[in-house]
Amino acid sequence: MCGIVGYIGNKEAIDVVLNGLRALEYRGYDSSGVAYIESNGSGRVVKQAGRVEHLLPGLDQEKSKIHIAIGHTRWATHGLPNTLNAHPHTNSDGSIMVVHNGIIENYLEIKRELAKNGYKLITQTDTEVIPHLIDYYLKRLGSFEEAITAALNDLKGAYAVAVLATAEPEKIYAAKLSSPLVIGVGRHNEYILASDPNAIMEHTKKVVFLEDYDLAVISKDKLSIKDLRKNTLKSAKAELLDYDRDKSSKGDFPNFMLKEIFEAPQAIKSATLGRVQADKGIVKLGGLETVTTQLKLIDRIVIVACGTSYYAGLVGEYLIEELAGIPVEVQLASEFKYRSEPFSRSSVLLAISQSGETADTIAALKKVKDYGCLRLGIVNAAGSTITRLTDAGVYCHAGPEQAVASTKAFISQVTVLTLLALYLSDGTKGYRNLLKELDLLPDKVQAVLDQAEKIKTIALKYKDSKDFMYIGRGYVYPCALEGALKLKETSYIHAEGYAAGEMKHGPLALIDEDFPTLAIATDSPLLEKTYSNIEEIRARSGRVVALATEGNKKIGKLVNDVIYLPKTLEITQPILSVVAMQLFAYYIAESKELNIDKPRNLAKSVTVE
Ligand code: M6R
């Protein structure tokens, strides 16, 4: 999704900004642009529909003289992904240049007011109102800082903005509300601003996370932060980010998705490292130690998340209810925010997110801020907004996930949810079997990965399908939903996930020889029932690929193709099944020669509601 980078210092600002934008490319975008102050003090904007690389020819010969610049990658929300709508946006004379992430909800209202005052806006974007509004206030208030303060106070919705102005050629102004923005403090009189720490790490790990309603005024040797609500200065608290850049390269893999699928065994090991002592039946979650007493008093957990994290949450519901006996509800974060529902102080809101920056999930956490309930997180990205909004939480430690299609994050989320369920249970000692199985799981996942070629051969038989059904029961029902999501987002094939038992209540009407099904028929007490559901599909000429447990003699006769998975407990089955389905979706997408890491229309970090 949209990305912001800014730089002020002694280095070549345009290069720093372009490199930062490249580091954000994984998030997905459709147009890009930069703005900078030239050595003669005038402002310049270079932007276009397309990739960051395409900006290069338009950039100045005098690049070496530029030491202040901002840049943007846009993921269109308002208006087509064309050059006109690309950021930076400016006021009419180009003296105020703005890049913006988020959505200005009252932009039409502001646009109308600006029009009444003679302003002519030319793009379809919401962002364009910002430079014009600053211009409007600048003409009335005189000071740039007062003008930007007044303009920001008029905006409703979510924003992270960086602003350059020829009137203040040695400053970058930056502000945020419900959209992340972080400032890297460089070693030699320099600051790097970005919407995602990935764009900063090359320069420094010392960062200041801006908070909502902060306005930062950044010059080469000074960073000051004002609280827009109180109109007072506050201190800039710098922290050190724990980040390993090496983990974010593709290595020998053709793309990030395949690399990240193959990182599943490591994801399980990292999620359990130092947290489990299988022989003693101990689960320790250091991130929850500060809230142990409160956790003893809870009577309900509401999980909020989106997409793949939501499906991990659904697996979590089965896990926590079975192992800890605590009622769990899982809600789509985008729905939760707008529901009126009873929510007591003894309920916990548990947000699950890979990026920790998903706007819907953040909105859900903010909604319950004053309810007096505990807010927990299961997050992969260290230092992200969700980790800072929650009272306590557990990191996934899966390492950076770059492909838009989430893979290893799901594996680590489900692993952490298993640990959490055990942690919340009365006694983990009774679960030694499960803890031992968690120890064995990385090898079992590796055995699934070792079958990649076989899974590919089966996947290719189905690559021309226009539709796909995924079914499962119990713990693997949410996995069917996740399997379908993986297929649709990577290969653009219409896919639906259903509880196998629901097929007869409607979806069976869809089934014919052109509508295949992937049935998760791994060992469980419900297996016989899943067989019946498969028979019903076969009776309607539907082709079926099954995921089954090694040693299953019956399934081969029932279905067209079988992918065998190692024996495991029913509880740990989701991890093995999902890895197989990730590979299945991957190979179909690969055969279609699609942009696997960046599927069309999607973004990695969904920072708008
Ligand atoms: O970063 P998050 O886990 O909060 O992201 C949630 C979803 O946007 C994400 O899982 C999305 O559905 C993925 N593209 C799925 O592969």
Side-chain angles (χ1 to χ4, degrees):
M1 205 145 258
C2 298
I4 289 177
V5 183
Y7 177 80
I8 181 163
N10 297 319
K11 293 183 187 141
E12 292 188 15
I14 292 175
D15 281 345
V16 176
V17 166
L18 291 180
N19 274 340
L21 292 178
R22 286 184 192 107
L24 300 188
E25 283 190 311
Y26 77 97
R27 296 161 61 104
Y29 68 104
D30 45 55
S31 53
S32 48
V34 292
Y36 52 92
I37 306 285
E38 292 178 305
S39 46
N40 63 7
S42 50
R44 177 148 191 252
V45 169
V46 178
K47 59 183 189 174
Q48 41 88 48
R51 312 204 66 76
V52 172
E53 290 320 307
H54 302 154
L55 287 169
L56 293 173
L59 287 166
D60 253 346
Q61 301 302 323
E62 59 162 1
K63 231 167 59 172
S64 60
K65 296 186 202 142
I66 309 297
H67 300 293
I68 176 168
I70 54 175
H72 192 260
T73 45
R74 173 177 188 247
W75 186 83
T77 57
H78 294 62
L80 294 172
N82 56 26
T83 300
L84 184 68
N85 290 330
H87 299 212
H89 288 282
T90 68
N91 59 337
S92 304
D93 66 10
S95 59
I96 301 170
M97 295 152 274
V98 175
V99 291
H100 161 229
N101 288 357
I103 290 177
I104 306 302
E105 284 166 3
N106 58 338
Y107 83 104
L108 286 174
E109 207 179 306
I110 297 175
K111 217 169 175 169
R112 272 194 299 275
E113 284 306 309
L114 286 168
K116 279 189 212 157
N117 284 282
Y119 284 87
K120 289 195 175 56
L121 276 61
I122 54 173
T123 78
Q124 298 162 302
T125 67
D126 52 340
T127 303
E128 196 192 3
V129 300
I130 304 173
H132 290 281
L133 197 56
I134 299 173
D135 179 290
Y136 170 86
Y137 281 118
L138 187 59
K139 290 195 170 108
R140 279 149 189 87
L141 300 172
S143 128
F144 194 79
E145 191 171 321
E146 280 180 55
I148 193 168
T149 303
L152 292 170
N153 282 333
D154 281 357
L155 304 182
K156 295 205 175 101
Y159 62 74
V161 289
V163 182
L164 284 187
T166 54
E168 306 242 353
E170 287 173 7
K171 283 179 187 160
I172 300 177
Y173 284 84
K176 71 149 265 170
L177 178 62
S178 299
S179 194
L181 209 49
V182 55
I183 298 170
V185 184
R187 254 160 279 156
H188 314 289
N189 285 348
E190 61 174 1
Y191 290 97
I192 309 109
L193 167 80
S195 50
D196 176 332
N198 274 298
I200 290 179
M201 293 301 114
E202 190 187 335
H203 305 276
T204 178
K205 289 185 179 178
K206 190 173 170 193
V207 296
V208 176
F209 284 97
L210 291 187
E211 290 173 2
D212 282 354
Y213 302 102
D214 279 354
L215 170 65
V217 187
I218 314 164
S219 48
K220 235 161 63 171
D221 47 10
K222 191 172 169 214
L223 166 66
S224 59
I225 300 179
K226 180 169 98 173
D227 182 329
L228 283 171
R229 283 169 305 182
K230 298 184 189 145
N231 211 10
T232 51
L233 285 178
K234 53 191 271 194
S235 64
K237 276 185 249 136
E239 46 191 285
L240 276 185
L241 270 191
D242 174 20
Y243 191 89
D244 185 353
R245 270 182 70 77
D246 291 344
K247 287 197 186 144
S248 53
S249 84
K250 267 192 279 210
D252 294 334
F253 287 89
N255 47 52
F256 280 109
M257 182 175 174
L258 193 61
K259 176 188 179 239
E260 288 160 3
I261 293 173
F262 273 82
E263 283 173 352
Q266 187 54 47
I268 300 168
K269 286 183 199 161
S270 305
T272 50
L273 188 73
R275 292 171 172 165
V276 176
Q277 274 180 271
D279 49 338
K280 295 196 180 126
I282 292 176
V283 172
K284 233 180 118 197
L285 296 175
L288 298 182
E289 263 163 25
T290 53
V291 295
T292 328
T293 322
Q294 279 158 284
L295 281 174
K296 292 209 168 81
L297 305 173
I298 63 173
D299 57 16
R300 173 181 173 238
I301 297 175
V302 178
I303 296 178
V304 286
C306 308
T308 290
S309 300
Y310 171 74
Y311 297 138
L314 289 177
V315 177
E317 179 178 4
Y318 283 81
L319 283 164
I320 297 170
E321 291 196 339
E322 179 173 341
L323 301 180
I326 300 170
V328 178
E329 247 176 67
V330 193
Q331 298 206 24
L332 289 164
S334 53
E335 286 298 310
F336 177 79
K337 183 185 172 190
Y338 299 102
R339 281 181 68 162
S340 310
E341 57 163 346
F343 206 93
S344 71
R345 290 167 70 99
S346 50
S347 298
V348 167
L349 191 79
L350 168 61
I352 305 178
S353 175
Q354 187 287 127
S355 61
E357 299 296 354
T358 301
D360 289 320
T361 313
I362 291 171
L365 280 166
K366 286 188 174 168
K367 173 182 167 180
V368 302
K369 183 170 181 280
D370 299 322
Y371 289 12
C373 66
L374 198 57
R375 297 188 297 170
L376 303 180
I378 294 180
V379 175
N380 190 35
S384 53
T385 304
I386 292 179
T387 63
R388 282 173 291 113
L389 276 179
T390 41
D391 304 303
V394 188
Y395 273 122
C396 290
H397 294 313
E401 190 182 65
Q402 308 255 3
V404 165
S406 186
T407 54
K408 64 173 175 174
F410 177 92
I411 304 303
S412 58
Q413 288 164 343
V414 171
T415 308
V416 167
L417 282 159
T418 312
L419 299 184
L420 178 66
L422 288 167
Y423 186 81
L424 295 173
S425 70
D426 282 342
T428 43
K429 288 197 172 54
Y431 295 113
R432 281 204 175 107
N433 263 357
L434 173 52
L435 290 171
K436 282 193 186 131
E437 188 61 16
L438 277 181
D439 249 4
L440 300 174
L441 213 52
D443 288 343
K444 295 190 179 181
V445 170
Q446 190 55 51
V448 177
L449 295 170
D450 291 344
Q451 294 189 69
E453 277 307 310
K454 186 183 168 202
I455 295 174
K456 179 175 181 174
T457 309
I458 296 175
L460 293 186
K461 291 193 200 172
Y462 296 87
K463 73 178 173 46
D464 296 322
S465 309
K466 298 271 175 292
D467 309 280
F468 232 104
M469 186 65 76
Y470 281 68
I471 58 168
R473 279 174 176 265
Y475 276 92
V476 291
Y477 155 53
C479 303
L481 306 180
E482 171 58 9
L485 176 63
K486 263 335 53 111
L487 187 68
K488 62 188 132 190
E489 70 179 330
T490 57
S491 62
Y492 316 153
I493 292 174
H494 162 235
E496 293 196 43
Y498 261 95
E502 269 295 293
M503 287 298 286
K504 56 190 175 294
H505 298 291
L508 206 49
L510 294 167
I511 298 298
D512 62 18
E513 61 277 15
D514 297 323
F515 203 132
T517 298
L518 190 149
I520 313 176
T522 45
D523 284 1
S524 94
L526 298 172
L527 185 55
E528 286 299 328
K529 295 196 188 297
T530 306
Y531 285 156
S532 308
N533 303 132
I534 292 174
E535 299 272 20
E536 287 154 12
I537 290 167
R538 296 292 293 134
R540 272 97 190 155
S541 308
R543 287 183 300 156
V544 177
V545 187
L547 301 186
T549 305
E550 272 165 5
N552 182 332
K553 301 240 161 41
K554 185 168 173 184
I555 193 86
K557 298 187 190 88
L558 275 184
V559 303
N560 303 78
D561 292 285
V562 189
I563 298 166
Y564 289 99
L565 307 177
K567 251 191 195 324
T568 189
L569 303 175
E570 193 195 2
I571 283 186
T572 40
Q573 190 58 64
I575 288 181
L576 299 187
S577 306
V578 165
V579 170
M581 289 187 290
Q582 290 169 353
L583 286 171
F584 187 80
Y586 172 84
Y587 286 119
I588 292 186
E590 186 195 52
S591 74
K592 295 175 159 232
E593 297 181 7
L594 297 172
N595 186 346
I596 295 191
D597 282 343
K598 298 185 181 105
R600 69 181 181 203
N601 306 338
L602 298 182
K604 180 64 182 164
S605 192
V606 186
T607 49
V608 292
E609 267 192 59

